[in-house]
Each structure stands twice: as C-alpha cells, then as structure tokens.
Amino acid sequence: MVQKYQSPVRVYKYPFELVMAAYEKRFPTCPLIPVFIGSDIIYEHKSDDGSLHVVERSCKLNVDAPRLLKKIAGVDFIYFIQKNTLNWKDRALLIEARNETFSTRVLVNETCSYSVHPDNEEWTCFEQSASLDIKSFFGFESTVEKIAMKQYTANIKRGKEVIEHYLNELISQGITHIPRWTPGASVGYLHVSRTATIGHLCSIETPGIELEASSSPLQLWGETAGHTQAPEQDAGDKLEAEYIERYLGHLTPMQESTLIHLRQWLQETHKGKIPKDEHILRFLRAWDFNMEKAREMLCQSLSWRKQYQVDYILQTWHPPPIFEEYYAGCWHYHDRDGRPLYILRLGQIDTKGLLKAVGEEAILRHVLSINEEGQRRCEENTHLCGSPIRSWTCLVDLEGLNMRHLWRPGVKALLRIIEVVEANYPETLGRLLIVRAPRVFPVLWTLISPFINENSRRKFLIYSGNNYQGPGGISDYLDKEIIPDFLGGESMCNIPEGGLVPKSLYQSDDDAETSDHIRLWTETIYHSAFIYKGAPHEIAAEILEVESVITWDFDVLRGDVLFSLFHSKRAPEVRQKDPASVTTTTTSSNNVQLMDKNWVLGADYKMLEAPLVCREGESIQGSHVTRWPGFYILQWKMHSPSSGSSMARVDDVLASLQGSSHKCKVMYYFEVLASEDFRGSMSSLESCSGFSQLSGVTNSSNKSHSSSVISR
C-alpha cells in the first residue's frame, strides 16, 4: 500500500529572498540534521538573465535502521537525488527528491515548495508532500515502512527548526535585506547589505519566526486582529500550520496529513462547502486517525444531518413549555480547562412523565439541540481562551434516581439517544462527572454502557454519596465559584427543579410508549427508497402549466444508480412488483414502480434527460423546465456495467463479488415550481443542507429539448 503525506502550509514571516539564503546554508552538509551526511552537485544550470537556477544534488543519508537490516540490505548509506528549481522572478523554489538506492524495491518521492504568501508578499509559505511505496524488501517490508515513516516525520519537524536556526543566524550576522531579482542584477545572499541594525528587515523588531502566543493567526488571511472568530476555511483554502495549532490543537505531522487528505477528498467528492475543520477532526480522533473508517462515519453523519435538517435545529427548535419546568438541565459557565459546562439533574427528571407528555421525538430534538449548542460554545471558548476547546463537560447529578427511572420505554429511548449522539457527535464530550450515584445506578450502567464506545467511557468519573467533595472530587475540575450550590458550591444555578409531570399534561395516545424506536421528526422533506435489480424506483409529477420547473436533490447512500427523467401523456399507476422480475427475495414497501413493463419507449413515453450514472456517496441536484403538460417521471435504476464495454470498472467487479450489487438506496426530495417562483438553479433547495452544502456548486448544461441543471 502506498503511504502518502501532505503537510499544511507553514509560514515564515520573512521575505522569500531571506528564506532562500537560510535554505542554502543547509548545503553541502547540515550538522542540525544528523542523518544528512553530505551532498554533491551533479548538475547545475543558470539562465542568462539569472532569474532561473537549477541544481541537482546527490544526497547521502545515514538512516537510523537496525544494523542487521543494513547488513542484509548490504548498504550503510542511502542516496537520494534532489532537484531544486529556483525561480527568482516568480519568487518560488520547487524541490523534487527521489531515492536512488533500492529504487527497484522502494519508491520514495517528495515534492516541496517555497513561495510568496498570497496575502503578504513579505512572508514565505512552505508546503511538502511525499509518497512511499514498498514493493519488496527481503521480507522486511513492514519494518522498513515503520522506519521510513518514523524517520520522515522526525525530519519534517527538524526541517522547520533548521530554517528558523539559519534565519536567526543570518540576522545575527547583520544580514537584514536581500534585494529582489531584477533583470541584469545578481541574486544571492552573498550580495546582501549588512547593517548594524536588525530592525531594518521588513520592519520586524524581533527575530522570531512564529506568531507569538498573543498574536492572532487571523493575520494569515489578511484580517485584522479585531475580529472575534476563527477564519472561515473555504473549499479551496489550504490549511496553515499556525491555524491548526491555534484553532484545532497540536497534531503530529501524520495527523495533520490525514486531516488534509480527508478534507481534500471531501472537496473533490462533494464540490461545495464542506464541514468545519474541527468537525472533520472529531471523526478522525474517534477512529484514531484511520481515514477510511472516519470517512465512512462522517459521510453517514452528513447524510443524516441533511435528511433531518439538523443544521437548523438551533434556529427552528423551540422546546415545549413543559421543558422549562420539568427538564432539569442547563448550561452553566465552564470548567477549569475552559470547556463549556452542562449540568443535568437526571435524578430530578420524571422520564416517564416527560415521554408521555412530549414524546420521544421532542426529547431527542432537545438533546440534539444541546449538542449543537455545545459545539457553538466550544468555538466561542476557543477564541476567548486563546487555545483550542474541542469538547464540553457534563455534570450529572443522580440524587433521586430510583427504579422508576428504569421504566423500560424510558431506558429504550435513552439507548436510542445514546446511539444517535455517538454516531454523529464523536469526541464532543470532554468529561462526564457523575455525582451522588445511588445503589440503583449499577443497574442503569449495566444497561447503557455497552452502547457507549470505549473512548467515551474513559471520560466518565463516577462518585457515590459525598465522594465528589474534597480532594479528587469535582473541585479538581470545577472552580468553587462555578460548582452549583446544591452540590456545596458558591454558584446559583438557573436550572429547573424538575419533579413529577402531572398526568393532565400527558398526550392523549401512547404512541411514544409503544414505538419500537425513536422516529426523528416526520416532517423531513426527504424520502428514502431501495432500488433492486429489475425493480427501479419511480416518482411522478403531474404538470398542468408548461414552463413549470421540476427540481430534485438526492444522495446515493448505497450502490450505483442510473437516474433518468421521462415524460408521458398517460397517467402512470402504482403496480405491484412482479416477483419474477426481481432477482432478490427481499422487497421494500418504499420501492414504487409506475411505468408498465408493456410501455413502449417513443410511443407511450419518451426520455427527456440522458441517463446519469450516480456513484455511491454522491450528492446530485438538478432542475428541468417543462415544455409539455402531462406526467414527468423521475426514475432511479440500479446501474450495472455495460456488457459491451471493453473493461468493467473495478468497483463494479468488487461490488458484484461481494454481493452488494443486489440493493441500492437513495435519499431524495423533489419539488415543482412555477416559472416565476424559480429564482435560478436550486433556489428551492437553499435551506436543505446549510451545514455541509455538499453540492453547493452547480454546473449548467443545456439539453436540446429542455433547460436543465444537473450537479454533483
């Protein structure tokens, strides 16, 4: 497997010419990089005007590897070929390196670049990427891979320190300014002016390269220090190292690389605004930076958020009045680490009464709104504290918990809520303080703990009786002036008292009690449908006025599908599936077929849109301006590789072998608008996916018989 690395953008607050002078001091050898033994120039070229300088070097490295491995390989040193292309006119340096030793067994390719910062021409940016492909190495492939990655990540950090060291050395020598290239002028750090005053260098008064702790990384985007929020990262932006350190927290080089790769994958796949970096990072942390698992979990969560419009819950969710009196929970300042603090007096809540009064759906909505609010508060505290605040703390008071809280429907609702939160809000809980746990608590813990992942369980601190008081108690995590008065602290907590919900407030039916699962709010505009081999899913829109606009928005959740749009003057009828035409024995009630198999294309109906192949994970939006009255049929059909094609797609072959090609699934929404109400492509879907906006960018394509927009 090919290992890949991508660095964030690192910024030196010095001009390009001075950074190049520091870089040149690394050759022919560099004592600050012990593995770099030396280098010899094997090729050199300078353009006539001096603007271009190309140098190739053979670099000798002493890799820190076991002596036995070196003996088996028969080498003591590793040689790399490094090609540097320095363009003084464009103020850019491109570095390309590849291994010469064992090149038939191991392929190492590295690309680095120094360039002028896009927002400040007196600063210099540095990026690097690399790949490692071990084909064979005497049976020690795994060992060599670990050694190579360890050595490489160590050199990444050291390389930055080396440039900083030589920059400070140049300044201490009085080298404060290097003129930019002009036609006919010599360039190089030996032709610089030396002064006794260091402060002449771009008005920099101190020789530090990094932004100081009190400096705002907003300056990296040309913003002023007066802004109060972190800079937004647009889809095309590159993550900068100081932004990561300030707003996301310390990451190892490989963790930074994984974050960047997942972010790039989202950009390339979804073609629009992607989740915030801290949101992506939570999913990576949940899977210990396993990109494949994190990506799968994140994509499922994005579809879930879009389907149930979770992005708007803070604006649209208004808790019923009963919550103000009987739901004993509220936000309350922050803990000693700056995390937002939520206090829940679970023992004072009548779970059965609340469920019967408002239903499971309302309680789930309320819990989701708490999680959304927690993320918003984390962002605010990140700015206020001057360091990343990634999670929040929950203090749960169990005084009053008894067997009535173990009412079966209530426990079932709790388990489902835990499942939803675990799947969609990973790594948002920093610490859970459970105090005054009664004797019945072990029973509840036995029921719920299997549904909580190991990472979350490690954050639980459980205190029985009065053990939460004194050393080792909650005062280690909360300041005394923050601890609520009912726990012996000094703070008055604005939390509802809870208590029994009067039966007069119960709902008239017991749907909440008899439901097998929590149903997220039913008014979602999206629908789901399964598609089977031989059984497409079809929906129809009757058009009475020409030039109406049909808009659609769907996500392919499983498998690959073929999407088509048809027109018919005949009214389609919902028909029962023909079991003989379906290759699987499983059918689903949400699979609808409208066009009779006896219909003839061109006579009974005609195709308006060329079939569009939609791959698993894609988000598709489009619109069609109608030209005739009648019935317009949207069809999703299972996609199979054409038997006439010269080569099947690898993914299709694998899917077929794994048996996953027997069922596809889509989540869709469509709407018909009058032409005067249609204000441009996808205007009717503006409110459908504010969080991820997976397909915010559309590409127009004019068809011969229709005006249509299809976007991925």
Side-chain angles (χ1 to χ4, degrees):
M1 179 179 178
V2 179
Q3 290 277 4
K4 294 184 178 181
Y5 171 80
Q6 176 65 55
S7 77
V9 178
R10 305 197 185 277
V11 179
Y12 298 101
K13 296 177 66 178
Y14 289 92
F16 175 79
E17 289 74 18
L18 194 68
V19 174
M20 290 298 96
Y23 175 77
E24 284 297 322
K25 293 177 75 68
R26 295 178 52 175
F27 301 102
T29 184
C30 181
L32 297 177
I33 307 180
V35 298
F36 186 51
I37 304 299
S39 62
D40 297 312
I41 295 178
I42 58 177
Y43 172 78
E44 185 171 13
H45 168 74
K46 291 184 179 179
S47 62
D48 294 338
D49 61 359
S51 64
L52 189 67
H53 187 190
V54 181
V55 178
E56 281 194 31
R57 294 182 176 93
S58 176
C59 302
K60 184 179 179 182
L61 278 68
N62 182 17
V63 178
D64 184 15
R67 182 175 298 179
L68 176 61
L69 187 59
K70 287 185 175 181
K71 187 174 181 180
I72 293 174
V75 297
D76 291 323
F77 304 104
I78 303 294
Y79 289 89
F80 274 74
I81 301 299
Q82 183 192 76
K83 179 182 178 181
N84 290 359
T85 304
L86 177 58
N87 191 319
W88 290 111
K89 181 179 179 180
D90 295 338
R91 305 179 75 196
L93 171 65
L94 176 64
I95 306 168
E96 301 167 289
R98 56 180 173 80
N99 63 306
E100 189 175 31
T101 308
F102 300 120
S103 58
T104 59
R105 296 179 178 272
V106 179
L107 296 178
V108 179
N109 288 289
E110 180 183 32
T111 302
C112 306
S113 66
Y114 288 88
S115 59
V116 177
H117 194 287
D119 296 329
N120 190 330
E121 63 178 12
E122 298 300 331
W123 292 355
T124 304
C125 294
F126 172 76
E127 302 181 65
Q128 67 187 121
S129 61
S131 64
L132 169 67
D133 184 9
I134 302 177
K135 300 182 180 298
S136 65
F137 205 86
F138 313 107
F140 291 90
E141 290 80 11
S142 179
T143 302
V144 170
E145 180 178 337
K146 291 178 181 178
I147 292 173
M149 296 309 295
K150 180 180 179 181
Q151 189 79 63
Y152 188 73
T153 53
N155 290 341
I156 289 169
K157 184 176 180 181
R158 191 173 293 118
K160 180 174 178 289
E161 295 171 350
V162 169
I163 294 296
E164 292 174 353
H165 170 81
Y166 286 127
L167 277 167
N168 288 328
E169 183 179 283
L170 286 169
I171 293 174
S172 68
Q173 295 171 359
I175 300 176
T176 62
H177 175 68
I178 300 178
R180 297 183 187 179
W181 176 88
T182 56
S186 298
V187 181
Y189 77 91
L190 294 179
H191 300 275
V192 303
S193 61
R194 296 176 178 268
T195 72
T197 305
I198 298 175
H200 291 174
L201 178 58
C202 304
S203 300
I204 297 176
E205 298 178 356
T206 58
I209 295 170
E210 289 295 326
L211 285 172
E212 296 179 4
S214 61
S215 298
S216 171
L218 297 175
Q219 295 171 356
L220 298 179
W221 287 264
E223 302 288 348
T224 63
H227 284 256
T228 59
Q229 295 185 3
E232 290 289 338
Q233 291 282 337
D234 294 331
D237 287 347
K238 295 180 180 179
L239 293 183
E240 295 197 1
E242 294 181 19
Y243 163 83
I244 292 176
E245 188 75 22
R246 170 62 178 83
Y247 290 99
L248 305 182
H250 174 73
L251 300 176
T252 68
M254 295 312 297
Q255 289 172 343
E256 290 176 338
S257 176
T258 305
L259 170 62
I260 292 169
H261 278 135
L262 180 52
R263 194 172 184 269
Q264 288 176 341
W265 181 85
L266 288 169
Q267 291 171 1
E268 295 168 359
T269 303
H270 298 300
K271 305 295 184 185
K273 186 177 180 181
I274 62 173
K276 294 181 179 179
D277 300 314
E278 54 265 37
H279 193 81
I280 300 174
L281 191 56
R282 287 188 179 105
F283 285 84
L284 287 171
R285 291 185 188 278
W287 288 104
D288 196 23
F289 286 86
N290 182 312
M291 180 172 166
E292 296 302 320
K293 293 181 178 180
R295 179 172 62 188
E296 180 181 356
M297 183 182 184
L298 176 59
C299 288
Q300 290 175 355
S301 180
L302 293 179
S303 295
W304 171 82
R305 295 184 69 94
K306 182 176 182 180
Q307 182 173 7
Y308 298 109
Q309 304 170 64
V310 180
D311 311 313
Y312 304 100
I313 195 167
L314 292 180
Q315 293 79 33
T316 60
W317 168 241
H318 303 289
I322 192 173
F323 275 81
E324 298 178 4
E325 184 175 354
Y326 296 101
Y327 188 87
C330 71
W331 290 100
H332 184 73
Y333 299 107
H334 52 79
D335 68 7
R336 288 190 169 182
D337 296 322
R339 296 188 182 104
L341 174 64
Y342 189 83
I343 297 179
L344 179 67
R345 302 194 72 180
L346 184 60
Q348 304 300 312
I349 297 178
D350 179 10
T351 53
K352 180 177 181 179
L354 274 180
L355 278 169
K356 284 182 169 290
V358 300
E360 296 174 344
E361 178 188 330
I363 294 178
L364 175 58
R365 283 201 196 193
H366 195 61
V367 172
L368 295 180
S369 70
I370 291 170
N371 279 273
E372 291 293 310
E373 175 66 16
Q375 292 185 112
R376 188 189 67 79
R377 288 174 178 258
C378 285
E379 293 181 21
E380 288 184 352
N381 286 17
T382 292
H383 172 72
L384 295 174
C385 295
S387 60
I389 304 297
R390 302 190 300 264
S391 56
W392 47 283
T393 292
C394 186
L395 173 63
V396 181
D397 179 17
L398 295 184
E399 184 185 45
L401 188 77
N402 53 44
M403 291 302 296
R404 66 184 172 86
H405 289 90
L406 301 182
W407 179 57
R408 183 177 177 182
V411 173
K412 201 170 186 180
L414 176 61
L415 295 179
R416 178 58 179 154
I417 289 173
I418 291 174
E419 183 181 5
V420 171
V421 171
E422 286 281 295
N424 298 285
Y425 298 94
E427 296 298 310
T428 55
L429 180 65
R431 185 178 293 118
L432 182 65
L433 303 172
I434 299 177
V435 299
R436 302 200 281 195
R439 291 184 177 181
V440 73
F441 174 72
V443 180
L444 179 62
W445 180 249
T446 301
L447 293 172
I448 66 174
S449 59
F451 292 82
I452 303 172
N453 68 51
E454 185 178 350
N455 284 343
S456 296
R457 287 200 299 268
R458 285 199 292 262
K459 301 169 184 176
F460 283 45
L461 295 172
I462 303 171
Y463 303 93
S464 61
N466 294 324
N467 292 340
Y468 67 91
Q469 298 176 342
I474 61 175
S475 59
D476 288 1
Y477 309 101
L478 307 176
D479 292 329
K480 191 168 184 179
E481 58 268 22
I482 296 297
I483 297 176
D485 56 342
F486 58 82
L487 292 178
E490 301 176 355
S491 179
M492 296 295 293
C493 190
N494 237 350
I495 191 169
E497 293 184 1
L500 292 176
V501 178
K503 291 186 177 180
S504 60
L505 298 178
Y506 285 8
Q507 294 176 342
S508 59
D509 55 48
D510 290 333
D511 288 345
E513 181 177 349
T514 58
S515 176
D516 288 336
H517 59 86
I518 292 179
R519 290 170 287 112
L520 290 172
W521 46 98
T522 55
E523 64 268 24
T524 173
I525 61 176
Y526 287 89
H527 303 276
S528 297
F530 286 104
I531 299 141
Y532 301 92
K533 193 171 183 179
H537 179 68
E538 298 164 342
I539 56 176
E542 184 177 7
I543 301 299
L544 301 177
E545 298 182 5
V546 297
E547 294 189 355
S548 297
V549 182
I550 305 173
T551 67
W552 56 83
D553 175 17
F554 65 89
D555 291 339
V556 185
L557 303 181
R558 183 190 305 172
D560 296 342
V561 301
L562 207 62
F563 175 70
S564 304
L565 179 65
F566 301 97
H567 174 263
S568 174
K569 296 180 180 179
R570 297 178 57 178
E573 296 182 2
V574 178
R575 61 186 178 85
Q576 295 293 326
K577 305 176 189 66
D578 181 1
S581 67
V582 182
T583 59
T584 178
T585 58
T586 306
T587 58
S588 175
S589 59
N590 62 356
N591 177 280
V592 177
Q593 297 173 57
L594 301 175
M595 293 190 295
D596 191 275
K597 63 181 180 180
N598 295 320
W599 282 17
V600 178
L601 181 64
D604 299 297
Y605 68 105
K606 58 183 175 181
M607 181 178 293
L608 301 178
E609 296 279 356
L612 178 68
V613 177
C614 309
R615 302 296 184 183
E616 181 175 318
E618 288 187 336
S619 182
I620 311 296
Q621 291 85 33
S623 61
H624 179 90
V625 180
T626 62
R627 297 187 61 186
W628 310 280
F631 297 90
Y632 288 76
I633 301 171
L634 286 69
Q635 181 192 77
W636 292 269
K637 185 178 181 181
M638 179 177 289
H639 171 65
S640 300
S642 174
S643 58
S645 64
S646 60
M647 183 177 297
R649 195 168 68 99
V650 174
D651 291 347
D652 295 325
V653 176
L654 292 177
S656 177
L657 293 175
Q658 295 169 359
S660 61
S661 59
H662 294 309
K663 182 167 65 175
C664 301
K665 185 178 181 181
V666 295
M667 179 181 75
Y668 67 90
Y669 166 75
F670 84 101
E671 185 178 6
V672 178
L673 300 171
S675 58
E676 60 269 18
D677 296 330
F678 186 73
R679 299 181 305 274
S681 174
M682 298 305 296
S683 63
S684 64
L685 304 176
E686 287 175 344
S687 62
C688 296
S689 60
F691 173 79
S692 55
Q693 296 183 10
L694 298 184
S695 300
V697 177
T698 59
N699 299 315
S700 299
S701 58
N702 295 322
K703 306 295 181 181
S704 57
H705 297 292
S706 64
S707 175
S708 173
V709 175
I710 297 179
S711 68
R712 294 178 185 268

